[in-house]
Coordinates of all heavy atoms in Angstrom, one line a residue:
M1 N 2.8 -17.1 20.9 CA 2.2 -17.2 19.6 C 3.2 -17.4 18.5 O 4.1 -16.6 18.4 CB 1.3 -15.9 19.4 CG 0.2 -16.1 18.5 SD -0.9 -14.7 18.4 CE -1.0 -14.1 20.1
P2 N 3.1 -18.3 17.6 CA 4.0 -18.5 16.5 C 4.0 -17.3 15.5 O 3.0 -16.7 15.4 CB 3.6 -19.8 15.8 CG 2.4 -20.3 16.5 CD 2.0 -19.3 17.6
S3 N 5.1 -17.1 14.9 CA 5.2 -16.0 13.9 C 5.7 -16.6 12.6 O 6.4 -17.6 12.6 CB 6.3 -15.0 14.5 OG 6.4 -13.9 13.7
P4 N 5.3 -16.1 11.5 CA 4.5 -14.9 11.3 C 3.0 -15.3 11.4 O 2.5 -16.3 10.9 CB 4.8 -14.4 9.9 CG 5.4 -15.6 9.2 CD 6.0 -16.5 10.2
R5 N 2.3 -14.3 12.0 CA 0.8 -14.5 12.2 C 0.1 -13.4 11.4 O 0.4 -12.2 11.6 CB 0.5 -14.4 13.7 CG -1.0 -14.5 14.0 CD -1.3 -14.5 15.5 NE -2.5 -15.0 15.8 CZ -3.6 -14.3 16.1 NH1 -3.6 -13.0 16.0 NH2 -4.8 -14.9 16.4
L6 N -0.8 -13.8 10.6 CA -1.6 -12.8 9.8 C -3.0 -12.8 10.4 O -3.6 -13.9 10.6 CB -1.6 -13.2 8.3 CG -2.2 -12.1 7.4 CD1 -1.2 -11.7 6.4 CD2 -3.5 -12.6 6.8
E7 N -3.5 -11.6 10.6 CA -4.9 -11.5 11.1 C -5.7 -10.7 10.1 O -5.3 -9.7 9.5 CB -4.9 -10.7 12.4 CG -4.2 -11.3 13.5 CD -4.1 -10.4 14.7 OE1 -4.7 -9.3 14.7 OE2 -3.4 -10.7 15.7
I8 N -6.9 -11.2 9.8 CA -7.9 -10.5 9.0 C -9.1 -10.2 9.9 O -9.8 -11.1 10.3 CB -8.3 -11.4 7.8 CG1 -7.1 -11.8 6.9 CG2 -9.4 -10.6 6.9 CD1 -7.4 -12.7 5.8
H9 N -9.3 -9.0 10.2 CA -10.4 -8.5 11.0 C -11.5 -8.1 10.0 O -11.2 -7.3 9.1 CB -10.0 -7.3 11.8 CG -8.9 -7.6 12.8 ND1 -9.1 -7.7 14.1 CD2 -7.6 -7.8 12.6 CE1 -8.0 -8.0 14.7 NE2 -7.0 -8.0 13.8
Y10 N -12.7 -8.6 10.1 CA -13.7 -8.4 9.2 C -15.0 -8.1 9.9 O -15.3 -8.6 11.0 CB -13.9 -9.6 8.3 CG -14.4 -10.8 9.0 CD1 -15.8 -11.1 9.1 CD2 -13.6 -11.6 9.7 CE1 -16.3 -12.1 9.8 CE2 -14.0 -12.7 10.4 CZ -15.4 -13.0 10.5 OH -15.9 -14.0 11.2
C11 N -15.9 -7.2 9.3 CA -17.1 -6.8 9.9 C -18.2 -7.9 9.7 O -18.5 -8.3 8.6 CB -17.6 -5.5 9.3 SG -19.1 -4.9 9.9
T12 N -18.7 -8.3 10.8 CA -19.8 -9.3 10.7 C -21.1 -8.7 10.3 O -22.0 -9.3 9.7 CB -20.0 -10.0 12.1 OG1 -20.3 -9.1 13.1 CG2 -18.8 -10.8 12.4
Q13 N -21.3 -7.4 10.7 CA -22.5 -6.7 10.3 C -22.6 -6.5 8.8 O -23.7 -6.6 8.2 CB -22.6 -5.3 10.9 CG -22.6 -5.3 12.4 CD -22.4 -3.9 13.0 OE1 -21.3 -3.3 12.7 NE2 -23.3 -3.4 13.8
C14 N -21.5 -6.4 8.1 CA -21.4 -6.2 6.7 C -21.3 -7.5 5.9 O -21.3 -7.5 4.7 CB -20.2 -5.3 6.3 SG -20.1 -3.7 7.1
R15 N -21.2 -8.6 6.7 CA -21.2 -10.0 6.1 C -19.9 -10.2 5.2 O -20.1 -10.7 4.1 CB -22.5 -10.3 5.4 CG -23.7 -10.1 6.3 CD -24.8 -11.0 5.9 NE -26.0 -10.8 6.7 CZ -26.2 -11.5 7.8 NH1 -25.3 -12.3 8.3 NH2 -27.3 -11.2 8.5
W16 N -18.8 -9.8 5.7 CA -17.6 -9.9 5.0 C -16.8 -11.1 5.3 O -15.6 -11.3 4.9 CB -16.7 -8.6 5.2 CG -17.3 -7.4 4.5 CD1 -18.2 -7.4 3.4 CD2 -17.1 -6.1 4.8 NE1 -18.5 -6.1 3.1 CE2 -17.8 -5.3 3.9 CE3 -16.3 -5.4 5.8 CZ2 -17.8 -3.9 4.0 CZ3 -16.3 -4.1 5.9 CH2 -17.1 -3.3 5.0
L17 N -17.4 -12.1 6.0 CA -16.7 -13.4 6.3 C -16.2 -14.1 5.0 O -15.1 -14.6 5.0 CB -17.6 -14.3 7.1 CG -17.0 -15.7 7.4 CD1 -15.7 -15.6 8.1 CD2 -18.1 -16.5 8.1
L18 N -17.0 -14.2 4.0 CA -16.6 -14.9 2.8 C -15.4 -14.2 2.2 O -14.5 -14.9 1.7 CB -17.8 -15.0 1.8 CG -18.9 -15.9 2.2 CD1 -20.0 -15.9 1.1 CD2 -18.4 -17.4 2.3
R19 N -15.4 -12.9 2.1 CA -14.2 -12.2 1.6 C -13.0 -12.5 2.4 O -11.9 -12.8 1.9 CB -14.5 -10.7 1.5 CG -13.4 -9.9 1.0 CD -13.7 -8.4 1.1 NE -14.9 -8.0 0.6 CZ -15.1 -7.4 -0.6 NH1 -14.0 -7.2 -1.4 NH2 -16.3 -7.1 -1.1
A20 N -13.1 -12.4 3.7 CA -12.0 -12.7 4.6 C -11.5 -14.1 4.5 O -10.3 -14.4 4.4 CB -12.4 -12.4 6.0
G21 N -12.4 -15.1 4.4 CA -12.1 -16.5 4.3 C -11.4 -16.8 3.0 O -10.4 -17.6 2.9
W22 N -11.9 -16.2 1.9 CA -11.2 -16.4 0.6 C -9.8 -15.8 0.6 O -8.9 -16.4 0.1 CB -12.1 -15.7 -0.5 CG -11.4 -15.7 -1.8 CD1 -11.3 -16.7 -2.7 CD2 -10.7 -14.6 -2.5 NE1 -10.6 -16.3 -3.8 CE2 -10.2 -15.0 -3.7 CE3 -10.5 -13.3 -2.1 CZ2 -9.5 -14.2 -4.5 CZ3 -9.8 -12.4 -2.9 CH2 -9.3 -12.9 -4.1
M23 N -9.6 -14.6 1.2 CA -8.3 -14.1 1.3 C -7.3 -15.0 2.1 O -6.2 -15.2 1.7 CB -8.3 -12.6 1.8 CG -8.8 -11.6 0.9 SD -8.4 -10.0 1.4 CE -8.8 -9.1 -0.1
A24 N -7.9 -15.5 3.2 CA -7.1 -16.4 4.0 C -6.6 -17.6 3.2 O -5.5 -18.0 3.2 CB -7.8 -16.8 5.2
Q25 N -7.6 -18.2 2.4 CA -7.3 -19.3 1.6 C -6.2 -19.0 0.6 O -5.3 -19.8 0.4 CB -8.5 -19.8 0.9 CG -8.3 -21.0 -0.1 CD -9.6 -21.3 -0.8 OE1 -10.7 -21.2 -0.3 NE2 -9.4 -21.7 -2.1
E26 N -6.3 -17.9 -0.1 CA -5.3 -17.5 -1.1 C -4.0 -17.3 -0.5 O -3.0 -17.7 -1.1 CB -5.8 -16.2 -1.8 CG -6.9 -16.4 -2.8 CD -6.5 -17.1 -4.0 OE1 -5.4 -16.8 -4.5 OE2 -7.2 -17.9 -4.5
L27 N -3.9 -16.7 0.7 CA -2.6 -16.4 1.3 C -2.0 -17.7 1.8 O -0.8 -17.9 1.7 CB -2.8 -15.4 2.5 CG -3.1 -14.0 2.0 CD1 -3.6 -13.2 3.1 CD2 -1.8 -13.4 1.4
L28 N -2.8 -18.6 2.3 CA -2.3 -19.9 2.8 C -1.8 -20.8 1.6 O -0.9 -21.6 1.8 CB -3.3 -20.7 3.6 CG -3.5 -20.1 5.0 CD1 -4.8 -20.7 5.7 CD2 -2.3 -20.3 5.9
T29 N -2.4 -20.6 0.5 CA -2.0 -21.4 -0.7 C -0.7 -20.8 -1.2 O 0.2 -21.6 -1.6 CB -3.1 -21.3 -1.8 OG1 -4.3 -21.9 -1.3 CG2 -2.7 -22.0 -3.0
T30 N -0.6 -19.5 -1.3 CA 0.7 -18.9 -1.8 C 1.8 -19.1 -0.9 O 2.9 -19.4 -1.3 CB 0.4 -17.4 -2.1 OG1 -0.6 -17.2 -3.0 CG2 1.7 -16.7 -2.5
F31 N 1.6 -18.9 0.4 CA 2.6 -19.0 1.4 C 2.4 -20.3 2.2 O 2.1 -20.3 3.4 CB 2.6 -17.8 2.4 CG 2.8 -16.5 1.6 CD1 1.8 -15.7 1.3 CD2 4.1 -16.1 1.2 CE1 1.9 -14.5 0.6 CE2 4.3 -15.0 0.5 CZ 3.2 -14.2 0.2
S32 N 2.7 -21.4 1.5 CA 2.4 -22.7 2.1 C 3.7 -23.2 2.8 O 4.7 -22.5 2.9 CB 2.0 -23.7 0.9 OG 3.0 -23.7 -0.1
D33 N 3.6 -24.5 3.2 CA 4.8 -25.1 3.9 C 5.2 -24.4 5.1 O 6.4 -24.3 5.4 CB 5.9 -25.3 2.9 CG 5.5 -26.2 1.8 OD1 4.7 -27.2 2.0 OD2 6.0 -26.0 0.6
G34 N 4.3 -23.8 5.9 CA 4.6 -23.2 7.1 C 5.2 -21.8 7.0 O 5.7 -21.2 8.0
E35 N 5.2 -21.2 5.8 CA 5.7 -19.8 5.7 C 4.9 -18.8 6.5 O 5.4 -17.8 7.0 CB 5.7 -19.4 4.2 CG 6.8 -20.2 3.4 CD 6.7 -19.9 2.0 OE1 5.6 -19.8 1.4 OE2 7.8 -19.8 1.3
L36 N 3.6 -19.1 6.6 CA 2.7 -18.3 7.6 C 2.4 -19.3 8.7 O 1.8 -20.4 8.4 CB 1.5 -17.8 6.9 CG 1.6 -16.7 5.9 CD1 0.3 -16.4 5.2 CD2 2.1 -15.4 6.7
A37 N 2.7 -19.0 9.9 CA 2.4 -19.9 11.0 C 0.9 -20.0 11.3 O 0.4 -21.0 11.7 CB 3.1 -19.4 12.3
E38 N 0.2 -18.8 11.0 CA -1.2 -18.8 11.3 C -1.9 -17.7 10.5 O -1.3 -16.6 10.3 CB -1.4 -18.5 12.8 CG -2.8 -18.4 13.3 CD -2.9 -18.1 14.8 OE1 -1.8 -17.9 15.4 OE2 -4.0 -18.1 15.3
V39 N -3.1 -18.0 10.1 CA -4.0 -16.9 9.5 C -5.2 -17.0 10.4 O -5.9 -18.0 10.4 CB -4.3 -17.1 8.0 CG1 -5.3 -16.1 7.5 CG2 -3.0 -17.1 7.2
A40 N -5.5 -15.9 11.0 CA -6.7 -15.8 11.9 C -7.7 -14.9 11.3 O -7.4 -13.8 10.8 CB -6.2 -15.3 13.3
L41 N -9.0 -15.4 11.4 CA -10.1 -14.6 11.0 C -10.8 -14.0 12.3 O -11.2 -14.8 13.1 CB -11.1 -15.4 10.2 CG -10.6 -16.0 8.9 CD1 -11.7 -16.9 8.3 CD2 -10.1 -15.0 8.0
I42 N -10.8 -12.7 12.4 CA -11.3 -12.1 13.6 C -12.5 -11.3 13.4 O -12.4 -10.3 12.7 CB -10.1 -11.3 14.3 CG1 -8.9 -12.2 14.5 CG2 -10.6 -10.6 15.5 CD1 -7.7 -11.5 15.0
P43 N -13.6 -11.7 13.9 CA -14.9 -11.0 13.7 C -14.8 -9.6 14.4 O -14.2 -9.4 15.5 CB -16.0 -11.8 14.4 CG -15.3 -13.1 14.7 CD -13.8 -12.9 14.7
A44 N -15.4 -8.6 13.7 CA -15.4 -7.2 14.2 C -16.7 -6.6 13.8 O -17.6 -7.3 13.3 CB -14.2 -6.4 13.6
R45 N -16.9 -5.3 14.1 CA -18.1 -4.6 13.7 C -17.7 -3.2 13.2 O -16.5 -2.9 13.1 CB -18.9 -4.4 15.0 CG -19.4 -5.8 15.6 CD -20.2 -5.6 16.9 NE -21.4 -4.9 16.7 CZ -22.6 -5.5 16.4 NH1 -22.6 -6.8 16.2 NH2 -23.7 -4.9 16.3
G46 N -18.7 -2.5 12.7 CA -18.5 -1.1 12.3 C -17.8 -0.9 11.0 O -17.1 0.1 10.8
G47 N -17.9 -1.9 10.1 CA -17.3 -1.7 8.8 C -15.8 -2.0 8.7 O -15.2 -1.6 7.7
L48 N -15.3 -2.6 9.7 CA -13.9 -2.9 9.8 C -13.5 -4.0 8.8 O -14.1 -5.0 8.8 CB -13.4 -3.2 11.2 CG -12.0 -3.4 11.4 CD1 -11.2 -2.1 11.4 CD2 -11.7 -4.1 12.8
F49 N -12.4 -3.7 8.0 CA -11.7 -4.8 7.3 C -10.3 -4.4 7.3 O -9.8 -3.4 6.6 CB -12.2 -4.9 5.8 CG -11.8 -6.2 5.2 CD1 -12.6 -7.3 5.3 CD2 -10.6 -6.2 4.5 CE1 -12.2 -8.5 4.7 CE2 -10.2 -7.4 3.9 CZ -11.0 -8.5 4.0
R50 N -9.5 -5.1 8.2 CA -8.1 -4.7 8.4 C -7.3 -6.0 8.4 O -7.7 -7.0 8.9 CB -8.0 -4.0 9.7 CG -6.6 -3.6 10.1 CD -6.5 -2.8 11.4 NE -7.2 -1.6 11.2 CZ -8.0 -1.0 12.2 NH1 -8.1 -1.6 13.3 NH2 -8.6 0.1 12.0
I51 N -6.1 -5.9 7.8 CA -5.2 -7.0 7.7 C -3.9 -6.6 8.4 O -3.3 -5.6 8.1 CB -4.9 -7.5 6.3 CG1 -6.3 -7.8 5.6 CG2 -3.9 -8.6 6.2 CD1 -6.1 -8.1 4.1
L52 N -3.5 -7.5 9.4 CA -2.3 -7.3 10.1 C -1.3 -8.4 10.0 O -1.8 -9.6 9.9 CB -2.6 -7.1 11.6 CG -3.6 -6.1 12.1 CD1 -3.9 -6.2 13.5 CD2 -3.1 -4.7 11.7
L53 N 0.0 -8.2 9.9 CA 1.0 -9.2 9.9 C 1.9 -9.0 11.1 O 2.6 -7.9 11.2 CB 1.8 -9.1 8.6 CG 2.9 -10.1 8.4 CD1 2.3 -11.6 8.4 CD2 3.7 -9.9 7.1
D54 N 1.9 -9.9 12.0 CA 2.6 -9.8 13.3 C 2.4 -8.5 13.9 O 3.3 -7.8 14.4 CB 4.1 -10.0 13.0 CG 4.5 -11.5 12.8 OD1 3.7 -12.3 13.2 OD2 5.5 -11.7 12.2
G55 N 1.1 -8.0 13.9 CA 0.7 -6.8 14.6 C 0.9 -5.5 13.8 O 0.4 -4.5 14.2
E56 N 1.5 -5.6 12.7 CA 1.7 -4.4 11.8 C 0.7 -4.4 10.7 O 0.4 -5.4 10.1 CB 3.1 -4.5 11.2 CG 4.2 -4.3 12.2 CD 5.6 -4.2 11.6 OE1 5.7 -3.7 10.5 OE2 6.5 -4.7 12.2
Q57 N 0.1 -3.3 10.5 CA -1.0 -3.1 9.5 C -0.5 -3.3 8.1 O 0.5 -2.6 7.7 CB -1.7 -1.8 9.7 CG -2.9 -1.6 8.9 CD -3.7 -0.4 9.3 OE1 -4.2 -0.3 10.3 NE2 -3.7 0.6 8.4
L58 N -1.1 -4.1 7.4 CA -0.9 -4.3 5.9 C -2.0 -3.5 5.1 O -1.7 -3.1 4.0 CB -0.9 -5.7 5.5 CG 0.2 -6.6 5.9 CD1 0.0 -8.0 5.3 CD2 1.6 -6.1 5.4
W59 N -3.2 -3.5 5.6 CA -4.3 -2.9 4.9 C -5.4 -2.5 5.9 O -5.7 -3.2 6.8 CB -4.9 -3.9 3.9 CG -5.9 -3.3 3.0 CD1 -7.2 -3.1 3.2 CD2 -5.6 -2.7 1.7 NE1 -7.8 -2.5 2.1 CE2 -6.8 -2.2 1.2 CE3 -4.5 -2.5 1.0 CZ2 -6.9 -1.5 0.0 CZ3 -4.5 -1.9 -0.2 CH2 -5.8 -1.4 -0.7
D60 N -6.0 -1.4 5.6 CA -7.2 -0.9 6.3 C -8.2 -0.4 5.3 O -7.8 0.6 4.6 CB -6.8 0.1 7.4 CG -8.1 0.5 8.2 OD1 -8.9 1.3 7.7 OD2 -8.2 0.0 9.3
R61 N -9.4 -0.9 5.3 CA -10.3 -0.5 4.3 C -10.7 1.0 4.3 O -10.8 1.6 3.3 CB -11.6 -1.3 4.4 CG -12.7 -1.1 3.4 CD -14.0 -1.7 3.8 NE -14.6 -1.1 4.9 CZ -15.4 0.0 4.9 NH1 -15.6 0.6 3.7 NH2 -15.9 0.5 6.0
K62 N -10.8 1.5 5.5 CA -11.1 2.9 5.6 C -10.0 3.8 5.2 O -10.2 4.8 4.6 CB -11.6 3.2 7.0 CG -13.0 2.6 7.3 CD -13.5 2.9 8.7 CE -14.8 2.2 9.0 NZ -15.3 2.3 10.3
E63 N -8.8 3.5 5.6 CA -7.6 4.3 5.3 C -7.2 4.2 3.8 O -6.8 5.2 3.2 CB -6.4 3.9 6.1 CG -6.5 4.2 7.6 CD -5.3 3.8 8.4 OE1 -4.3 3.4 7.8 OE2 -5.4 3.7 9.6
E64 N -7.4 3.1 3.2 CA -7.0 2.9 1.8 C -8.2 3.0 0.9 O -8.1 2.8 -0.3 CB -6.3 1.5 1.6 CG -5.2 1.4 2.6 CD -3.9 1.0 2.0 OE1 -3.7 1.2 0.8 OE2 -3.1 0.5 2.7
D65 N -9.4 3.4 1.4 CA -10.6 3.7 0.6 C -11.1 2.5 -0.2 O -11.3 2.6 -1.4 CB -10.3 4.9 -0.3 CG -11.7 5.5 -0.7 OD1 -12.7 5.4 0.0 OD2 -11.7 6.1 -1.8
G66 N -11.2 1.3 0.4 CA -11.7 0.2 -0.3 C -11.0 -1.1 0.1 O -10.2 -1.1 1.0
F67 N -11.4 -2.1 -0.6 CA -10.8 -3.5 -0.3 C -9.6 -3.7 -1.2 O -9.5 -3.2 -2.3 CB -11.8 -4.6 -0.6 CG -12.9 -4.6 0.3 CD1 -14.1 -4.0 0.0 CD2 -12.8 -5.2 1.5 CE1 -15.2 -4.0 0.9 CE2 -13.9 -5.2 2.4 CZ -15.1 -4.6 2.1
P68 N -8.6 -4.5 -0.7 CA -7.4 -4.8 -1.5 C -7.7 -5.9 -2.5 O -8.6 -6.7 -2.3 CB -6.4 -5.2 -0.5 CG -7.3 -5.9 0.5 CD -8.5 -5.1 0.6
D69 N -7.0 -5.9 -3.6 CA -7.1 -7.1 -4.5 C -6.0 -8.0 -3.9 O -5.1 -7.6 -3.1 CB -6.8 -6.8 -5.9 CG -5.5 -6.1 -6.2 OD1 -4.7 -5.9 -5.3 OD2 -5.2 -5.8 -7.4
I70 N -6.2 -9.3 -4.1 CA -5.4 -10.3 -3.5 C -3.9 -10.1 -3.9 O -3.0 -10.4 -3.1 CB -5.9 -11.7 -3.7 CG1 -5.3 -12.7 -2.8 CG2 -5.7 -12.1 -5.2 CD1 -5.5 -12.5 -1.3
K71 N -3.7 -9.7 -5.1 CA -2.3 -9.5 -5.6 C -1.6 -8.5 -4.7 O -0.4 -8.7 -4.3 CB -2.4 -8.9 -7.0 CG -1.1 -8.5 -7.6 CD -1.3 -8.0 -9.0 CE 0.0 -7.4 -9.6 NZ -0.2 -6.9 -11.0
T72 N -2.2 -7.4 -4.3 CA -1.6 -6.4 -3.5 C -1.2 -7.0 -2.1 O -0.1 -6.7 -1.6 CB -2.5 -5.2 -3.3 OG1 -2.8 -4.6 -4.6 CG2 -1.9 -4.1 -2.4
I73 N -2.2 -7.7 -1.5 CA -1.9 -8.3 -0.2 C -0.8 -9.3 -0.3 O 0.1 -9.4 0.6 CB -3.2 -8.9 0.4 CG1 -4.2 -7.8 0.7 CG2 -2.9 -9.7 1.6 CD1 -3.6 -6.7 1.6
K74 N -0.8 -10.2 -1.3 CA 0.3 -11.1 -1.5 C 1.7 -10.4 -1.6 O 2.7 -10.9 -1.0 CB 0.1 -12.0 -2.7 CG -1.0 -13.0 -2.5 CD -1.2 -13.8 -3.8 CE -2.3 -14.9 -3.6 NZ -2.5 -15.7 -4.8
Q75 N 1.7 -9.3 -2.4 CA 3.0 -8.6 -2.5 C 3.4 -8.0 -1.2 O 4.6 -8.0 -0.9 CB 2.8 -7.5 -3.6 CG 2.7 -8.1 -5.0 CD 2.4 -7.1 -6.1 OE1 1.8 -6.0 -5.8 NE2 2.7 -7.4 -7.3
R76 N 2.5 -7.4 -0.4 CA 2.8 -6.8 0.8 C 3.3 -7.9 1.9 O 4.3 -7.6 2.6 CB 1.7 -6.0 1.4 CG 1.4 -4.8 0.6 CD 0.3 -3.9 1.2 NE 0.0 -2.8 0.3 CZ -0.8 -1.8 0.6 NH1 -1.4 -1.8 1.8 NH2 -1.0 -0.8 -0.2
V77 N 2.7 -9.0 1.9 CA 3.2 -10.1 2.7 C 4.6 -10.5 2.3 O 5.5 -10.6 3.1 CB 2.2 -11.3 2.7 CG1 2.9 -12.5 3.4 CG2 0.9 -10.9 3.4
R78 N 4.8 -10.8 1.0 CA 6.1 -11.2 0.5 C 7.1 -10.1 0.8 O 8.2 -10.4 1.2 CB 5.9 -11.4 -1.0 CG 7.2 -11.9 -1.7 CD 8.2 -10.8 -2.3 NE 7.6 -9.7 -2.9 CZ 7.3 -9.6 -4.2 NH1 7.5 -10.5 -5.0 NH2 6.8 -8.4 -4.6
D79 N 6.8 -8.8 0.6 CA 7.8 -7.8 0.8 C 8.3 -7.7 2.2 O 9.4 -7.4 2.5 CB 7.2 -6.4 0.4 CG 7.0 -6.3 -1.1 OD1 7.5 -7.2 -1.9 OD2 6.3 -5.3 -1.5
R80 N 7.4 -8.0 3.2 CA 7.8 -8.0 4.6 C 8.5 -9.3 5.0 O 9.4 -9.2 5.8 CB 6.6 -7.8 5.5 CG 6.0 -6.4 5.3 CD 5.5 -5.8 6.6 NE 4.9 -4.5 6.3 CZ 4.0 -4.0 7.0 NH1 3.5 -4.7 8.0 NH2 3.5 -2.8 6.7
L81 N 8.1 -10.4 4.5 CA 8.7 -11.7 5.0 C 9.8 -12.3 4.1 O 10.7 -12.8 4.6 CB 7.5 -12.7 5.1 CG 6.4 -12.4 6.1 CD1 5.4 -13.5 6.0 CD2 7.0 -12.3 7.5
F82 N 9.6 -12.2 2.8 CA 10.5 -12.9 1.8 C 10.8 -11.9 0.6 O 10.4 -12.2 -0.5 CB 9.8 -14.2 1.3 CG 9.2 -15.0 2.4 CD1 7.9 -15.1 2.6 CD2 10.0 -15.8 3.2 CE1 7.3 -15.8 3.5 CE2 9.5 -16.6 4.2 CZ 8.1 -16.6 4.4
P83 N 11.5 -10.8 0.8 CA 11.6 -9.8 -0.2 C 12.2 -10.3 -1.5 O 12.0 -9.7 -2.6 CB 12.4 -8.7 0.5 CG 12.9 -9.2 1.8 CD 12.1 -10.5 2.1
D84 N 13.0 -11.3 -1.5 CA 13.7 -11.8 -2.7 C 12.8 -12.9 -3.4 O 13.2 -13.3 -4.5 CB 15.0 -12.4 -2.4 CG 16.0 -11.3 -1.8 OD1 15.8 -10.1 -2.2 OD2 16.8 -11.6 -1.0
R85 N 11.7 -13.3 -2.9 CA 10.9 -14.4 -3.4 C 10.0 -13.8 -4.6 O 9.3 -12.9 -4.4 CB 10.0 -15.0 -2.4 CG 9.2 -16.1 -2.9 CD 8.3 -16.6 -1.8 NE 7.3 -17.5 -2.4 CZ 6.4 -18.1 -1.8 NH1 6.3 -18.0 -0.5 NH2 5.6 -18.9 -2.4
P86 N 10.1 -14.5 -5.7 CA 9.1 -14.1 -6.8 C 7.8 -14.7 -6.5 O 7.6 -15.8 -5.9 CB 9.8 -14.8 -8.0 CG 10.6 -15.9 -7.5 CD 11.0 -15.5 -6.1
L87 N 6.7 -14.0 -7.0 CA 5.4 -14.5 -6.8 C 4.7 -14.9 -8.1 O 3.5 -15.1 -8.2 CB 4.5 -13.3 -6.2 CG 4.7 -13.1 -4.7 CD1 3.9 -11.9 -4.3 CD2 4.4 -14.3 -3.9
G88 N 5.5 -15.1 -9.1 CA 5.0 -15.6 -10.4 C 4.0 -14.5 -11.0 O 4.4 -13.4 -11.1
H89 N 2.8 -15.0 -11.4 CA 1.9 -14.1 -12.0 C 1.5 -12.9 -11.2 O 1.1 -11.9 -11.7 CB 0.7 -14.9 -12.5 CG -0.2 -15.4 -11.4 ND1 0.1 -16.5 -10.7 CD2 -1.3 -14.8 -10.8 CE1 -0.9 -16.7 -9.8 NE2 -1.7 -15.7 -9.8
S90 N 1.6 -13.0 -9.9 CA 1.2 -11.9 -9.0 C 2.2 -10.8 -9.0 O 2.0 -9.7 -8.5 CB 1.1 -12.4 -7.5 OG -0.1 -13.2 -7.4
D91 N 3.4 -11.0 -9.6 CA 4.4 -10.0 -9.8 C 4.3 -9.2 -11.1 O 4.9 -8.2 -11.3 CB 5.8 -10.5 -9.6 CG 6.3 -10.6 -8.2 OD1 5.7 -9.8 -7.4 OD2 7.1 -11.4 -7.9
R92 N 3.6 -9.8 -12.0 CA 3.4 -9.2 -13.4 C 2.4 -8.1 -13.3 O 1.4 -8.2 -12.6 CB 3.0 -10.3 -14.4 CG 4.1 -11.3 -14.6 CD 3.7 -12.2 -15.8 NE 4.2 -13.5 -15.4 CZ 3.5 -14.7 -15.3 NH1 2.3 -14.7 -15.7 NH2 4.0 -15.8 -15.0
P93 N 2.6 -7.0 -14.1 CA 1.6 -6.0 -14.1 C 0.3 -6.5 -14.7 O 0.3 -7.3 -15.6 CB 2.2 -4.9 -15.0 CG 3.5 -5.4 -15.5 CD 3.8 -6.7 -14.9
G94 N -0.8 -6.0 -14.1 CA -2.1 -6.4 -14.7 C -2.4 -5.6 -16.0 O -1.6 -4.7 -16.4
K95 N -3.4 -6.0 -16.7 CA -3.8 -5.4 -17.9 C -3.9 -3.8 -17.8 O -3.4 -3.1 -18.6 CB -5.1 -5.9 -18.5 CG -5.4 -5.4 -19.9 CD -6.6 -6.1 -20.4 CE -7.2 -5.6 -21.7 NZ -6.5 -4.9 -22.6
A96 N -4.6 -3.4 -16.7 CA -4.8 -2.0 -16.5 C -3.5 -1.3 -16.2 O -3.2 -0.1 -16.6 CB -5.8 -1.7 -15.4
E97 N -2.6 -2.0 -15.5 CA -1.3 -1.4 -15.1 C -0.4 -1.3 -16.3 O 0.5 -0.4 -16.5 CB -0.6 -2.2 -14.1 CG -1.3 -2.2 -12.7 CD -0.7 -3.2 -11.8 OE1 0.5 -3.3 -11.7 OE2 -1.5 -3.9 -11.1
A98 N -0.5 -2.2 -17.3 CA 0.4 -2.3 -18.5 C 0.0 -1.2 -19.5 O 0.8 -0.8 -20.3 CB 0.4 -3.7 -19.1
D99 N -1.3 -0.8 -19.5 CA -1.7 0.2 -20.5 C -1.2 1.6 -20.2 O -0.9 2.0 -19.2 CB -3.3 0.2 -20.5 CG -3.8 -1.1 -21.0 OD1 -3.1 -1.8 -21.7 OD2 -5.0 -1.4 -20.7

């Protein structure tokens, strides 16, 4: 299996496919030109929403008490794969963080 591989496990009972698909699209747009070898959407059940990068957990909805914003996931992917790479607007503090 090519690396790096990102997996988004999403609950089909909760109908979180659109959320998972949107996150996949955002990540593939940010990490283009083969920086991510694969983004897999993996159906699950039981309220699961988990994101793994090469088998290591980046986010778990139950452990982190909710869904991530895309900025957080982009930063976590960048921090693991390309720590010196700037993310542009995703690196700037948001309005709530700046206050």
Side-chain angles (χ1 to χ4, degrees):
M1 205 174 319
S3 182
R5 181 177 198 259
L6 189 123
E7 299 174 5
I8 302 174
H9 299 254
Y10 66 94
C11 179
T12 56
Q13 295 168 305
C14 303
R15 306 209 181 271
W16 289 337
L17 173 60
L18 288 177
R19 181 187 304 263
W22 172 77
M23 285 195 167
Q25 175 186 327
E26 285 289 319
L27 290 163
L28 286 168
T29 300
T30 298
F31 301 101
S32 57
D33 299 325
E35 293 172 317
L36 287 174
E38 179 180 6
V39 175
L41 299 179
I42 301 174
R45 298 176 67 86
L48 184 71
F49 195 89
R50 181 176 295 142
I51 301 173
L52 306 174
L53 180 62
D54 286 338
E56 293 183 35
Q57 185 169 292
L58 287 181
W59 188 273
D60 183 281
R61 184 189 68 82
K62 291 180 181 177
E63 288 178 17
E64 307 232 19
D65 198 29
F67 292 98
D69 60 1
I70 195 63
K71 174 181 172 179
T72 300
I73 293 302
K74 287 179 181 182
Q75 289 172 339
R76 289 183 184 187
V77 169
R78 183 271 318 269
D79 291 349
R80 293 218 182 151
L81 298 178
F82 314 103
D84 296 328
R85 178 184 171 179
L87 287 176
H89 70 277
S90 290
D91 275 335
R92 293 186 218 129
K95 183 174 176 22
E97 296 172 42
D99 294 338

